Amino acid sequence: MSSAKIEKLRLIPGPGPLCWLHPELLALDGTRANQGLSKADRLIDLGSKGWTGNELLTRIQELAPERIEIADGPRGHALWQFLNQALRGQNVEVNRPSPLPIIDGAEIDGTENDGIKFDSGGIEALLLEAARNVTPGGTVLFQCDHSGKVQSRVVGLTAQDAGSLCADDDNGEKRVWMLPLPAGPGLGDAIDKACEIVSQDPQSFRGARLIPVFLTELSENASAIEKETTSVETRLLPTWWGLLPGDRWPQALRVRYHELFRLLHPDRYFQFAAFENHALTGVDLFLEGMLERLGKKRSNARRERKKPVIIGICGTDGSGKSSHVAALKDYLIEKGLSVEVHKIYRHGVFHETVTDLTRQCAGGHNLHLWRLQRIVKVFDSIKYLYSSLKKPLAELDVVIFDRYTFTHFAAGVGRYHHDPFAREMLTVFPEADMMFLLDVPTDEALRRIGTRDEKTVDENYYMLSRYRHALCDLADRFNFVKLDATASIEDNRSAVLTEVTRLLEDRGLLGGDA
Amino acid sequence: MTAKNKEAVRILIPPEFEYLPGLFLSDPARAQWVAEIWNLASRMRKEGYDVSLDAGTDALTAAETAAKLETDRIGLVMLTGLPCDAKAIEILSDALEEKNLEFASPVIRESDDDSATAALEKQIRDSSEPASSSIDEDKVFINRNTPFLVSDTVGVGGPKTPCFIRSGNILRKNGTGPAGSLPPDLEEIRIIDGAHTMPSSIDGSNRRTLYAFALADVIEDPEAAYKCCSSLIDRVGSEGFRLLPLSEYVSCGGAEWGARLGLHHDAMKNFLQRLTVNCSPSWNNYLNVVNLYYALGEDPLEEMYASNSLPDRNAELIENIVP
């Protein structure tokens, strides 16, 4: 452990989604970040040793710097967001980097910053700087020699250029060929033009590895332009810089760009599409990767809990949960146990308000709200835990849940939101002692709920079948008791009561003759 | 409606979903299976059967693949893949059903089972009639992009398609140009597994050689595997190194693709973490993300294959709430 207190700690973030998708770019992501550092200062390049957030915090505590400087740019901004929260209340000053790449030590968007700037050698700044000299339809070739020195030159976008780059002996140099795509009104034409040229000889362009990079506009910078257009598809997080053009990414343009990407990188296409989906829904994979989430095992303390016994019944809409929950409650009360039924998914005004969020996603707009409404629902469940479950969980023999946390998990996967934060937040709920899944084929579920006047957002074939698939998967992984909801109600009721009786006998809550 | 060509047969293999292509090599077992099917199709074309092969390398979604079959007026569609392709085949089947396209029962190629080729051949002979003359064998692949092919013999894929010829633990490329997700200028893959000591001559000077370490060897001795891999990366750089995915398919629940990468197994998972932290740090944070996908039971790449992105499904997702 280092004992000498240092004045300044400079942090360079590791690679992000742009380099994950196009690892060739790593050759350009150099470290030119030691300018202005004295011997008493330290520099940590987080890309040099796979640092996680926890490891970084530990190191910061060891070094105890007076000030932390984080490289400007989108990844630096994400790192700042993490450290700003983690170091809150501690006596260390952390600069707030700009979410946009900084070139020539000057910001390109004119937003305020606290004034600490340095050249991190970050890929975003390098690409942006090189793209300044390119006329529309041009490309940039970067050449990185053995010493790591990077040079760039403007190259045309023709099959001939691609062919000669493929044929050239690169003498061991690393080369990156970039197609800059500036966000703005000419973007569609630029994509179409590139598509037309590349489709003439896609193999040569593939061989030469032409990498399309958006000179991304971010939300903070987009407000003025938004006034001129209503087509806002998302609020793009800074760490997706380069992969998408910005907040405006209408379906028609998206489809055209997919075609270009497919021509150039068919082997990376599905990965790109997955990243795009995460980006549009407001997921920050860069931050998640750094935080190494879900790595910790849950405490065993809850498993040793004797009371109350927690039983959950899950299933898609139309699977018949409510009638089984009611029957189980009656049975246990009859046995002299104190029992309550709770729903952690609330309906009424709350549900309507949340649905309004979803409604705003119609037509492919504001897609980040789609994920937000999930997070709001998770928070409401947690609020319910603290407002309404404290007493029952402390005093009762049995608490029955009509749906439990697993329905949130199924919503995450089923709606393809990728919301690990939801899973982490829901760890405040006690583990269920027994979970039932009432599995019903989607067609049958739709038939059963077909008579309802109003349907929820999930009551259609597509969503119900995804929920069903996700719940069946969770049932396998978490040892649910799985029941066929198309079997007779009596048979299923009997199966539920038998399993619960066995559990309660094991816990000493029911006698053996029950 | 355009009439179908009843005699045209298309064999479909779903794409390989590579979650960590910078860390793992494309699956050579799949590459070998594609080569075997190419051989079968080529042989049958000589007999006059109009058999073509879509190796899933053009990054078409399942729905787009089905649309292409419709455009090409294919009479008989056959699906095949390795056990790990089961879900993708299911997605493809759904897309074919959506278009009312008939297809034969999928043929899954289990490891060490040679009967799959015979099963495909029988399906073709039972359902299709040969023409009186042979059909150009060069046009077996309908794909714009060449798949990764591995074979013991030269000539697979036709004269213009690069194919890796297996000789012991060395796969040497015959032909030029891109193949699957491999680096376009790659010439040779050397597989390092427990039965073979690491070549002492490795010095990293030939960056057209890729060294692939068999992940399965980690189970027996994780420490030795780590030493071997870290030494390899020291010499050839992380660009010249890959891990070989597990060849045995493990059904583990949840995101089953993760089992191919050892994410279901603590020793292998820890090995990957240690290797990326110390030897390939550029991949560490992304490995964390991929671990997260696995823990959450997600399969984002397959979701994209099924056209399930939020903007793609927007209309269905909100169908009950839009006025």
Side-chain angles (χ1 to χ4, degrees):
Chain A
M1 184 189 242
S2 172
S3 55
K5 189 174 167 94
I6 63 164
E7 188 183 320
K8 193 158 58 184
L9 173 64
R10 186 168 282 185
L11 299 176
I12 310 295
L18 187 61
C19 288
W20 296 342
L21 188 67
H22 299 298
E24 297 84 0
L25 294 173
L26 287 168
L28 308 179
D29 205 19
T31 52
R32 296 181 286 164
N34 48 9
Q35 52 189 259
L37 283 183
S38 73
K39 281 185 180 172
D41 299 330
R42 289 289 180 91
L43 180 135
I44 297 179
D45 179 357
L46 298 173
S48 68
K49 194 195 135 300
W51 291 73
T52 64
N54 279 339
E55 287 166 348
L56 178 61
L57 288 175
T58 305
R59 189 67 182 133
I60 288 172
Q61 280 172 356
E62 287 169 5
L63 294 170
E66 287 173 14
R67 197 172 73 191
I68 296 175
E69 288 183 2
I70 304 173
D72 274 311
R75 291 171 288 145
H77 185 74
L79 182 57
W80 168 79
Q81 284 181 312
F82 164 63
L83 287 180
N84 193 39
Q85 285 184 19
L87 298 174
R88 187 167 290 163
Q90 296 187 29
N91 193 22
V92 55
E93 181 191 339
V94 185
N95 81 302
R96 183 180 190 277
S98 162
L100 283 162
I102 302 299
I103 55 173
D104 296 335
E107 289 173 281
I108 60 160
D109 69 330
T111 53
E112 288 300 314
N113 177 296
D114 66 5
I116 303 166
K117 294 178 178 57
F118 59 91
D119 180 1
S120 70
I123 183 77
E124 298 90 352
L126 196 68
L127 296 175
L128 206 58
E129 194 172 9
R132 273 180 159 183
N133 302 318
V134 183
T135 51
T139 68
V140 183
L141 181 71
F142 295 93
Q143 289 171 291
C144 183
D145 67 18
H146 297 289
S147 66
K149 190 178 171 192
V150 178
Q151 288 188 317
S152 67
R153 65 185 165 95
V154 176
V155 176
L157 179 64
T158 66
Q160 199 179 354
D161 291 311
S164 53
L165 280 173
C166 282
D168 271 3
D169 188 352
D170 55 16
N171 295 318
E173 280 185 340
K174 290 176 180 172
R175 293 198 301 210
V176 176
W177 193 19
M178 174 187 71
L179 170 65
L181 293 168
L187 181 60
D189 290 343
I191 290 172
D192 287 345
K193 184 74 183 159
C195 219
E196 187 189 323
I197 294 167
V198 172
S199 60
Q200 290 166 15
D201 185 4
Q203 293 303 318
S204 291
F205 283 97
R206 271 200 72 195
R209 296 185 180 186
L210 179 63
I211 295 175
V213 176
F214 288 103
L215 308 181
T216 307
E217 280 174 350
L218 299 177
S219 304
E220 291 187 13
N221 194 29
S223 54
I225 306 162
E226 274 166 28
K227 287 175 187 165
E228 297 166 20
T229 172
T230 53
S231 178
V232 173
E233 280 71 35
T234 190
R235 295 285 177 197
L236 193 68
L237 291 167
T239 50
W240 294 107
W241 191 93
L243 289 171
L244 267 67
D247 293 355
R248 293 172 306 287
W249 196 212
Q251 181 79 345
L253 192 57
R254 223 171 60 83
V255 170
R256 282 144 79 191
Y257 181 67
H258 282 201
E259 196 46 42
L260 175 63
F261 196 95
R262 241 196 300 229
L263 284 168
L264 291 170
H265 300 283
D267 51 315
R268 298 172 189 176
Y269 172 74
F270 291 116
Q271 183 66 76
F272 166 75
F275 279 173
E276 179 192 58
N277 190 53
H278 288 321
L280 291 172
T281 49
V283 170
D284 192 341
L285 283 189
F286 174 74
L287 201 57
E288 284 177 23
M290 194 169 62
L291 298 184
E292 203 189 6
R293 311 191 79 83
L294 297 175
K296 307 285 178 289
K297 298 245 178 192
R298 290 179 66 173
S299 156
N300 284 328
R302 289 195 182 100
R303 296 202 177 103
E304 290 155 14
R305 167 180 45 78
K306 296 287 183 200
K307 275 177 70 175
V309 168
I310 291 172
I311 298 165
I313 299 188
C314 282
T316 56
D317 293 327
S319 61
K321 292 179 296 298
S322 304
S323 54
H324 285 291
V325 165
L328 179 60
K329 181 188 173 189
D330 291 346
Y331 169 76
L332 295 176
I333 287 173
E334 206 176 278
K335 294 289 177 189
L337 297 173
S338 54
V339 185
E340 279 182 15
V341 172
H342 286 271
K343 288 185 175 189
I344 61 171
Y345 293 83
R346 292 198 280 191
H347 286 269
V349 175
F350 165 76
H351 192 269
E352 281 304 307
T353 309
V354 174
T355 304
D356 273 343
L357 278 178
T358 315
R359 209 166 265 135
Q360 289 181 50
C361 301
H365 299 305
N366 296 306
L367 295 175
H368 59 290
L369 297 179
W370 187 258
R371 181 166 183 259
L372 183 62
Q373 56 92 21
R374 279 259 68 249
I375 294 171
V376 172
K377 284 183 181 174
V378 167
F379 268 108
D380 187 64
S381 291
I382 293 169
K383 186 180 166 192
Y384 185 79
L385 171 73
Y386 289 105
S387 64
S388 306
L389 288 171
K390 203 174 168 186
K391 204 173 166 194
L393 289 174
E395 295 175 0
L396 297 178
D397 293 322
V398 179
V399 180
I400 304 169
F401 286 95
D402 184 345
R403 299 182 193 271
Y404 202 45
T405 50
F406 293 99
T407 303
H408 277 304
F409 303 160
V413 179
R415 290 179 163 186
Y416 190 56
H417 287 168
H418 178 67
D419 51 350
F421 294 93
R423 189 172 285 229
E424 285 181 323
M425 288 188 284
L426 290 166
T427 54
V428 293
F429 276 87
E431 270 183 46
D433 295 280
M434 182 168 277
M435 285 300 304
F436 291 93
L437 171 64
L438 280 163
D439 181 40
V440 60
T442 306
D443 289 324
E444 173 61 16
L446 277 173
R447 193 191 62 75
R448 291 182 186 183
I449 61 184
T451 51
R452 295 181 195 171
D453 290 339
E454 283 190 25
K455 293 192 175 74
T456 70
V457 63
D458 298 321
E459 288 176 344
N460 58 63
Y461 189 86
Y462 175 71
M463 276 315 302
L464 279 183
S465 49
R466 285 182 68 79
Y467 266 81
R468 182 189 179 208
H469 185 266
L471 282 170
C472 286
D473 172 48
L474 287 165
D476 290 342
R477 294 165 78 186
F478 292 91
N479 299 318
F480 285 24
V481 177
K482 203 169 160 184
L483 300 170
D484 177 359
T486 59
S488 76
I489 290 180
E490 291 72 26
D491 285 352
N492 278 337
R493 190 166 295 169
S494 164
V496 170
L497 299 186
T498 305
E499 293 290 342
V500 170
T501 303
R502 193 176 298 145
L503 172 71
L504 296 181
E505 283 173 0
D506 285 349
R507 295 292 169 86
L509 287 168
L510 286 181
D513 58 343
Chain B
M1 188 178 170
T2 321
K4 284 180 185 174
N5 175 4
K6 285 186 180 169
E7 308 309 335
V9 179
R10 173 83 39 92
I11 305 174
L12 304 178
I13 303 174
E16 180 174 8
F17 301 118
E18 295 186 70
Y19 275 89
L20 289 162
L23 206 53
F24 282 86
L25 187 70
S26 303
D27 188 358
R30 167 192 291 271
Q32 195 151 347
W33 178 228
V34 178
E36 282 176 39
I37 301 173
W38 187 91
N39 266 329
L40 168 71
S42 174
R43 181 160 52 81
M44 296 195 78
R45 284 171 82 95
K46 282 181 194 160
E47 293 179 31
Y49 286 93
D50 185 4
V51 185
S52 56
L53 169 57
D54 180 347
T57 50
D58 289 348
L60 296 183
T61 62
E64 288 166 334
T65 304
K68 186 167 172 51
L69 290 167
E70 204 172 39
T71 308
D72 293 352
R73 294 182 290 143
I74 298 298
L76 174 63
V77 180
M78 305 175 72
L79 310 179
T80 185
L82 303 184
C84 58
D85 295 318
K87 269 192 189 170
I89 287 177
E90 203 179 304
I91 292 166
L92 195 48
S93 306
D94 289 346
L96 296 176
E97 279 170 8
E98 187 97 352
K99 291 248 173 220
N100 288 323
L101 292 168
E102 288 175 21
F103 54 94
S105 173
V107 173
I108 302 296
R109 169 71 151 91
E110 304 280 348
S111 58
D112 302 326
D113 173 17
D114 295 332
S115 64
T117 317
L120 281 172
E121 183 171 349
K122 186 173 184 311
Q123 281 185 355
I124 297 169
R125 289 189 190 282
D126 289 350
S127 323
S128 177
E129 289 290 328
S132 53
S133 58
S134 67
I135 297 172
D136 182 4
E137 67 173 296
D138 277 356
K139 293 179 181 164
V140 173
F141 285 124
I142 60 131
N143 306 102
R144 192 164 54 195
N145 299 295
T146 310
F148 174 34
L149 293 172
V150 171
S151 176
D152 296 331
T153 54
V154 180
V156 173
K160 290 177 188 167
T161 307
C163 175
F164 284 80
I165 308 303
R166 186 190 290 276
S167 169
N169 269 23
I170 298 177
L171 308 176
R172 195 161 287 128
K173 193 176 178 183
N174 184 38
T176 56
S181 65
L182 300 174
D185 53 356
L186 183 70
E187 289 172 354
E188 188 180 78
I189 300 167
R190 287 176 176 254
I191 294 172
I192 314 287
D193 63 23
H196 297 79
T197 53
M198 196 163 54
S200 57
S201 59
I202 298 172
D203 60 3
S205 61
N206 183 5
R207 63 187 188 82
R208 295 196 164 112
T209 297
L210 206 57
Y211 293 86
F213 183 88
L215 182 66
D217 288 350
V218 172
I219 300 171
E220 272 185 40
D221 190 345
E223 190 56 33
Y226 175 75
K227 279 183 184 163
C228 178
C229 291
S230 58
S231 162
L232 258 174
I233 295 171
D234 271 352
R235 285 187 270 175
V236 302
S238 51
E239 299 95 341
F241 172 84
R242 295 287 189 280
L243 290 161
L244 269 187
L246 298 182
S247 55
E248 286 298 317
Y249 179 63
V250 185
S251 180
C252 59
E256 302 209 335
W257 54 266
R260 303 269 293 147
L261 311 184
L263 305 183
H264 66 301
H265 192 285
D266 281 348
M268 285 188 272
K269 194 173 158 184
N270 293 337
F271 165 84
L272 286 173
Q273 197 75 30
R274 189 178 170 198
L275 193 70
T276 54
V277 165
N278 296 318
C279 307
S280 292
S282 312
W283 289 109
N284 182 251
N285 281 4
Y286 188 48
L287 175 66
N288 291 340
V289 169
V290 171
N291 269 319
L292 198 60
Y293 288 154
Y294 177 72
L296 294 169
E298 297 171 342
D299 199 337
L301 304 197
E302 211 163 60
E303 297 277 13
M304 296 302 106
Y305 182 58
S307 305
N308 284 342
S309 77
L310 182 50
D312 286 334
R313 292 284 184 182
N314 184 260
E316 285 159 283
L317 292 167
I318 54 171
E319 72 178 52
N320 290 331
I321 55 171
V322 177

